[in-house]
Amino acid sequence: MAVVFGPGSVPGDLPRPLPFRDVQEMEISVNLRTSVTSRYEMRFRSTTAQEEAALAAATAREADAALHPLQNTALGSLTMYVLPETSSLLPQGTNVYVGKHRSALVRAGGSLAALQARLREVTQVMSFTASSIAAALSDRVPDGQLSPDARRYLKSSLGYEITFSLLNPDPKSHTVDWDIEGAVNRYVKPVLDKLSLVANFSVDSQILYYAVLGVTPRYDKESSSFLLSAHSLPHVINPVEARLGSSAASLYPVLNFLLYVPEHSHSPLYIQDKDGAPVSTNAFHSPRWGGIMVYNVEAPASPQASLPLHVDVDMARVMEVFLAQLRLLFGLSQEEVPPEFLLESPGNEGLADWELDHLLWAHTVENIATVSTTLTSLAQLLDKIGNIVIKDDVASEVYRAVASVQSAVTELSLGHLHGAFQASKEAVTSSERAFFDPSLLHLLYFPDDQKFAIYIPLFLPMAVPILLSLAKIVRETRLRKKEPTKMD
């Protein structure tokens, strides 16, 4: 992290003259046996002539754009520019401006203590926090210590498949036209290009006819509309999912985004929240699954209008909802920020650079924990079955996983986020390749007690007459030796 002081913003009680470095460490306890140590390496310095010229812009957005080429753009880095308390660059009542790259503009606050408090708040918003680490390690955190949303986020994966589905349950009444290819290229592709560092993505679409929600909406006389209550929404997904068929042959998690055009007999259809108020977006999302949006069709002006009605879907409105749901699924929802904070919109890219870093931190930590669990389970399996055969390629995958996860931890401790994430992905791939190797299937190897249980019923009936015959032969031999030899 770089803390850059503009002219007139250096606190009078600064302990040392600029430039200098400072290191702060904080231990985040996950459970009784696991903790994560976070270390912030802070460099304090003054602005350069180019940075001063950029800070002389008319608005904070223009200053952020001008400062971007002058910053350290490494993944996981932050640059905070300290402005004088009286600076007009920030709007009235705003003390912190968070840009869409990896920088923030902060008012000095008048004293070192006030400035440090604001810098901590900025760090809590733009970098990893105790709650984000707990969400990444949710499998290891006691339930009482988790926030309600901690288990809602998608688990880390090497890839994701996104499926957009148009559900037209009444094609006799509606002919629906949606430009899904153009919408994906215009709205979704910039977001996925930004997320390509995190995982591989594939996108497909489909149109399903006569696919109903499986829940009968309630008719409301006052509004002359049909309503879906919040408690009935969980029952909507299962009947629809049976028609999707997208996750049957998928190697990766599938994210489903459904656009539902209600049948003519149930139009208009609105979704209610838990308080009974209509949902403004007329949509809802299911954690780790996807989202559904209800798209109502305007009633024809004339009752004698011929059917089917032609419907052109407003893809901008639809994609705005789906991309917001995609952010929620990846845990990129904006947490509560102080009221004096102003967050710049990320624009068409869908997420800011510092949000991408936030996602990489969480996935790297989760990958390391996953590798640890996988290798521990594999070791327990090998200890349980003493005669199991470990092939050389399996052993090499285990060694590669251990080396990669050690490299990931080292890179993470040095702040090299990109290298740490790549190493953690390699560790996950190698550990799962070793764990799921067909030669290590435990059903191929029987414990000794199972061998006795299988073979004793087979050999015991055969062994009894053989043993009795051997005993008889031994007795006859002994009797023959005891008989006196006759002499002529």
Side-chain angles (χ1 to χ4, degrees):
M1 296 167 54
V3 181
V4 184
F5 291 93
S9 64
V10 181
D13 51 352
L14 202 65
R16 283 174 282 175
L18 298 174
F20 66 90
R21 293 175 178 266
D22 187 24
V23 176
Q24 299 177 4
E25 289 192 357
M26 179 179 63
E27 186 169 346
I28 303 172
S29 177
V30 178
N31 55 33
L32 295 177
R33 296 184 300 172
T34 308
S35 64
V36 177
T37 301
S38 62
R39 184 172 66 250
Y40 299 95
E41 297 180 0
M42 308 179 73
R43 292 188 301 111
F44 295 83
R45 64 175 178 86
S46 301
T47 53
T48 63
Q50 290 177 308
E51 290 170 333
E52 287 184 21
L55 291 173
T59 63
R61 178 181 298 178
E62 293 175 3
D64 181 56
L67 288 168
H68 177 55
L70 310 176
Q71 297 165 8
N72 177 14
T73 57
L75 294 176
S77 63
L78 293 178
T79 305
M80 289 172 278
Y81 295 93
V82 182
L83 306 176
E85 191 67 19
T86 57
S87 174
S88 60
L89 192 59
L90 299 181
Q92 190 70 26
T94 300
N95 291 330
V96 175
Y97 169 86
V98 178
K100 62 180 182 179
H101 300 295
R102 294 182 176 90
S103 65
L105 305 179
V106 185
R107 289 192 192 273
S111 66
L112 181 60
L115 176 61
Q116 287 177 334
R118 286 180 183 173
L119 293 180
R120 278 194 297 270
E121 290 179 337
V122 174
T123 305
Q124 288 291 305
V125 172
M126 298 183 69
S127 185
F128 58 86
T129 60
S131 59
S132 63
I133 295 297
L137 301 176
S138 58
D139 295 338
R140 302 184 177 213
V141 180
D143 290 338
Q145 300 178 14
L146 280 176
S147 64
D149 295 331
R151 297 190 191 275
R152 292 175 174 264
Y153 308 143
L154 284 167
K155 302 292 288 182
S156 177
S157 174
L158 300 178
Y160 299 93
E161 296 187 12
I162 299 177
T163 300
F164 294 100
S165 303
L166 172 64
L167 274 59
N168 186 0
D170 191 7
K172 294 181 180 179
S173 302
H174 302 131
T175 301
V176 185
D177 183 21
W178 69 335
D179 182 17
I180 186 62
E181 184 176 359
V184 167
N185 290 330
R186 184 173 181 181
Y187 302 108
V188 181
K189 191 175 183 300
V191 180
L192 299 187
D193 288 343
K194 193 76 171 282
L195 287 172
S196 60
L197 274 176
V198 178
N200 298 319
F201 290 87
S202 63
V203 181
D204 54 52
S205 64
Q206 60 184 343
I207 300 177
L208 300 178
Y209 296 101
Y210 300 103
V212 296
L213 293 182
V215 175
T216 303
R218 176 177 59 86
Y219 181 71
D220 182 53
K221 292 184 179 179
E222 294 183 4
S223 60
S224 299
S225 61
F226 293 85
L227 302 176
L228 276 176
S229 59
H231 72 270
S232 66
L233 296 181
H235 307 288
V236 169
I237 294 177
N238 284 351
V240 172
E241 191 174 28
R243 291 288 307 275
L244 297 179
S246 55
S247 59
S250 175
L251 296 175
Y252 301 123
V254 179
L255 310 182
N256 298 285
F257 295 100
L258 277 60
L259 183 65
Y260 180 75
V261 180
E263 56 263 48
H264 186 68
S265 59
H266 287 159
S267 294
L269 177 63
Y270 297 104
I271 298 174
Q272 291 180 313
D273 60 17
K274 293 181 180 179
D275 299 325
V279 177
S280 59
T281 58
N282 212 25
F284 69 97
H285 88 284
S286 178
R288 299 186 182 181
W289 184 82
I292 297 179
M293 178 181 180
V294 177
Y295 191 91
N296 288 309
V297 177
E298 293 184 7
S302 171
Q304 288 80 26
S306 60
L307 298 177
L309 296 174
H310 183 76
V311 180
D312 279 320
V313 177
D314 183 1
M315 296 306 295
R317 179 161 67 95
V318 171
M319 284 301 169
E320 182 181 4
V321 174
F322 284 163
L323 289 179
Q325 292 176 342
L326 182 67
R327 285 176 56 89
L328 289 173
L329 291 170
F330 276 103
L332 293 174
S333 57
Q334 291 295 344
E335 299 181 6
E336 292 295 327
V337 297
E340 67 271 13
F341 273 55
L342 176 62
L343 269 61
E344 180 62 49
S345 170
N348 288 340
E349 292 182 337
L351 70 159
D353 291 348
W354 56 269
E355 288 180 310
L356 177 65
D357 295 349
H358 190 283
L359 198 59
L360 289 174
W361 286 120
H363 279 214
T364 303
V365 173
E366 184 181 345
N367 286 345
I368 292 172
T370 300
V371 173
S372 172
T373 303
T374 303
L375 293 180
T376 302
S377 301
L378 181 59
Q380 291 173 349
L381 173 67
L382 301 183
D383 287 340
K384 188 183 298 183
I385 305 174
N387 62 338
I388 197 168
V389 178
I390 304 173
K391 298 191 297 184
D392 290 342
D393 56 342
V394 175
S396 63
E397 292 291 353
V398 173
Y399 286 127
R400 192 177 296 116
V402 173
S404 296
V405 79
Q406 289 175 341
S407 173
V409 172
T410 303
E411 293 285 323
L412 205 57
S413 64
L414 296 174
H416 301 159
L417 183 54
H418 185 263
F421 179 68
Q422 294 299 327
S424 71
K425 284 206 304 184
E426 294 172 5
V428 169
T429 303
S430 296
S431 64
E432 292 191 349
R433 196 175 289 153
F435 186 81
F436 292 106
D437 190 272
S439 66
L440 297 185
L441 186 63
H442 71 278
L443 295 178
L444 296 175
Y445 304 91
F446 298 99
D448 292 337
D449 56 348
Q450 290 190 15
K451 291 179 181 178
F452 283 118
I454 292 172
Y455 291 117
I456 284 179
L458 180 64
F459 289 111
L460 190 59
M462 299 167 55
V464 168
I466 294 175
L467 293 175
L468 291 176
S469 300
L470 289 174
K472 183 178 180 181
I473 292 173
V474 170
R475 284 199 305 270
E476 290 178 353
T477 303
R478 288 177 178 176
L479 289 175
R480 196 176 294 118
K481 288 181 178 179
K482 289 182 179 180
E483 289 179 1
T485 305
K486 294 181 179 181
M487 302 292 294
D488 293 336

